[in-house]
Amino acid sequence: MNPVTGEPYEPQIVPRADYSRVLAEFWADGPQSETPPGHWFTITNSVLNHPLFEKRWEGQGEIMNDLEFDVRTYLAIGGAVHDAAVACWSAKGFYDYTRPIMAIRYMIDHGQCSDMNLPSYDPAGIPLIPGFIELVQAGDPLAGDNDENVNKVKLYTFRGPVEATGLDGVGWILGENWWTFQVRTFVTPPFPGYYSGHSTYSRTAAEVLTALTGSEYFPGGLGEFFAAQDEYLRASPGPSVDVHLQWASYKDASDQCSLSRIYGGLHPPCDDIPGRIVGTEIAPMVFDKANGYYNAGIPHVMAITSDKSMLTDADAGTQVTLVIEFSEDMDEASVPAISFPLGSPAGAIVENNASWIDATHYQIVYDIFDIDAEISNVVAKVQTAMDLQSNEIVPALQFVFNIDMANPAVADINFSENIVNDEVANNGIMILNIVFDEAMNTDFAPVITYPVQDISGSMMLNESLSYWQDDMTYVAIYDLVDDNNDAGSVTVVVAEAQDAAGNLLQELTIEGAFVVDTENPILASAEASHPFINTNFIGAEFTVSAMFAEEMDPNFVPVVAYSSNEPFINTLGTLVSEGWSSGSSYEWTYSVNASDEELPMVFISVSGGQDMYGNPQVPQDSEPFFGVDTHPATLVSAVSNASFFNDALSGTECFQSLSHLMMKWIATKCQPSNSLTIQSQTTLWYLMLVQVHG
């Protein structure tokens, strides 16, 4: 229902900017207001005065008169927000933590931290985000008359209260002038931020309202505030449409109040949730205390005690005992009803037995089971027991224990190096950071093992240097050794750490976490396209191949040297091509030159390669694997075993022997090459025959 016109309206979608700005101002509670705790008294008044609300304490029993119910309510709410203030401001004083305006302006004063090649770089600066956080350029409207603001950081943001700046809405401003979204008279409070008072007050009051009304919901199922279009906001014009803030439950309103401080720029998100948690702890204790005053003459619960304040994995299979102490002797024929309306421990505890210890003490024993979950602030409610005059007790609420049976887990793990190679190993140190998903017991370091690969000689945990950075981060430091080990991808297992409650870590196994390869690649073999270079190869191509024992980095070109560079270099003087023929084989192809060289044994030396993990190749010589003879054959002399042939020599072996020698010479020098042409061979035979037959 529209509170202005009284007409029903349809649910609507409003611009997020309107919603967040209305939240920021509605819940601001700054100067000249009812203040944050006072805001919850106005909400309480709206509940007490609602026509559908019946004033039954805790939603039960007869309707009370206005004075009694209102006095009880004000005492409970007032005591609750007072205790919330004590708890919250104790934390603020202890942590003395920053506010957004201080953090943002501090970073902007230092410049930008995104790019060290840009102006105004400082590691303590603010990250640049195009369209939101940029550097002022020459010609920018913010540059100044003399470009005095060039290279300063500018922000696209709320430009400040319109009555202070004269600027309307959102736009670019110098970062050093950043404002919160508030009116001019409401500056950032001059006390620490952590944790949020608004969050603490609101959640505490919402929980107490839930307890004293007996319902978590506003009367009629809806609480509402109306912000009229273009009329409500003061820090800037707006909202641009009518905005209806609505809450089904008191907790909804509390959560909205908490968010308003983030939207307004008064708190970072980390300030919010701790305040809410503290509120849920304070409220039931305060309400129980208030009930004790209201019911001083009526039997009531003095205390509910537990023999365990925290249930953990270690308690599974054992028992927890609650003892209820009453203000007077009770009728032991009556049985107190025990329930858990806040932080239900269903599944974690199952009642085993219950009995009266004596007239003022009742005991319930529960069996404990591991539910692998965390439940904070379990609150027990006691009702229905009667005293000896048949007066029923006032229902009581009291915190009894927390449950933490959730096993901690590793949230993140990272290594300072992805590959441990020669260079990394020679630097001597590797760092492993393990981040857990909750606070850990820092008396116990995690156990880190490498069960698959043997890297014991490559990495050794330095226990004296390893440490807990905080209660959620463990830093393991390893000493590295270049032990020429090729372990490959390493499997890491993290186990045996404990959280603050003593629950064991869920074992984490990471396959392929990093690589250990400090083994230098070697030349496995070398080959030539032919075992012997002779005159047949002149003008042809000859290939030398080097085969390595592992995959090599193709960006590194190995260099080949030959055993005899002079005069052998003349034979393979022209390099036609070179390159990787496979991941582990490199080839050099030469054009064979006409030379005059004889080298019966040639071997090569290869160096300069690098494997895929950055380890340099060990320079190596090959075994002799080819020979060279490009020396052309020539007839130096022809000798006969007789100076004159006559009839007397006819039939002897002189001529045959000479022919045999000549054939042997030709076979040795001329086959299978074509170094001597057919014409040359014929000429040799002719000369020989002339000489023989004279």
Side-chain angles (χ1 to χ4, degrees), residues 79 129 198 239 301 307 346 357 361 368 385 433 451 493 526 566 625 671 677:
I129 304 174
H198 278 63
V301 173
D307 62 348
I357 299 174
H361 295 86
I368 303 173
N433 284 286
V493 176
E566 293 293 344
F625 72 111
Q671 298 295 328
T677 64

Side-chain angles (χ1 to χ4, degrees), residues 15-26 28 157-171 179-186 227-241 243 263-264:
R16 180 173 180 178
D18 284 335
Y19 174 73
S20 59
R21 289 186 298 160
V22 170
L23 250 64
E25 286 201 18
F26 175 75
T157 182
F158 172 62
R159 295 187 292 182
V162 65
E163 74 269 31
T165 65
L167 300 173
D168 182 10
V170 172
W179 290 75
T180 59
F181 184 80
Q182 300 291 340
V183 296
R184 179 180 59 82
T185 56
F186 189 6
Q229 178 181 358
D230 294 328
E231 295 180 9
Y232 177 70
L233 295 177
R234 293 186 297 151
S236 68
S240 64
V241 298
V243 176
Y263 291 162

Side-chain angles (χ1 to χ4, degrees), residues 379-462:
V379 173
K381 183 176 184 178
V382 182
Q383 54 189 358
T384 71
M386 295 184 179
D387 66 8
L388 297 176
Q389 289 74 41
S390 298
N391 297 310
E392 187 171 319
I393 65 166
V394 177
L397 285 170
Q398 188 172 319
F399 164 80
V400 285
F401 49 70
N402 290 307
I403 298 174
D404 185 354
M405 295 178 171
N407 297 90
V410 174
D412 188 26
I413 183 169
N414 60 80
F415 299 82
S416 60
E417 305 292 341
N418 294 322
I419 299 173
V420 177
N421 57 16
D422 279 2
E423 181 180 0
V424 173
N426 290 328
N427 286 336
I429 283 183
M430 181 171 180
I431 301 173
L432 166 59
N433 284 286
I434 307 174
V435 181
F436 299 92
D437 64 352
E438 62 176 289
M440 304 295 287
N441 184 344
T442 56
D443 291 334
F444 296 90
V447 175
I448 308 165
T449 56
Y450 305 90
V452 179
Q453 295 80 17
D454 182 9
I455 59 171
S456 57
S458 306
M459 296 175 53
M460 290 155 284
L461 179 65
N462 191 322

Side-chain angles (χ1 to χ4, degrees), residues 417-429 458 480-487 515-522 550 609-619:
E417 305 292 341
N418 294 322
I419 299 173
V420 177
N421 57 16
D422 279 2
E423 181 180 0
V424 173
N426 290 328
N427 286 336
I429 283 183
S458 306
L480 303 180
V481 175
D482 181 358
D483 62 343
N484 207 36
N485 179 20
D486 183 6
V515 170
V516 171
D517 185 353
T518 56
E519 183 177 48
N520 300 92
I522 61 173
E550 61 182 283
Q610 181 170 297
D611 68 15
M612 295 301 293
Y613 295 113
N615 298 307
Q617 172 220 338
V618 176

Side-chain angles (χ1 to χ4, degrees), residues 642-662:
S643 60
F644 184 80
F645 295 89
N646 56 22
D647 289 346
L649 296 176
S650 179
T652 68
E653 295 184 357
C654 175
F655 177 78
Q656 185 178 359
S657 297
L658 185 59
S659 299
H660 176 71
L661 289 172
M662 185 59 94

Side-chain angles (χ1 to χ4, degrees), residues 458-478:
S458 306
M459 296 175 53
M460 290 155 284
L461 179 65
N462 191 322
E463 295 183 3
S464 63
L465 294 181
S466 301
Y467 64 99
W468 285 95
Q469 180 175 301
D470 51 51
D471 60 4
M472 294 179 66
T473 306
Y474 185 75
V475 180
I477 298 179
Y478 287 85

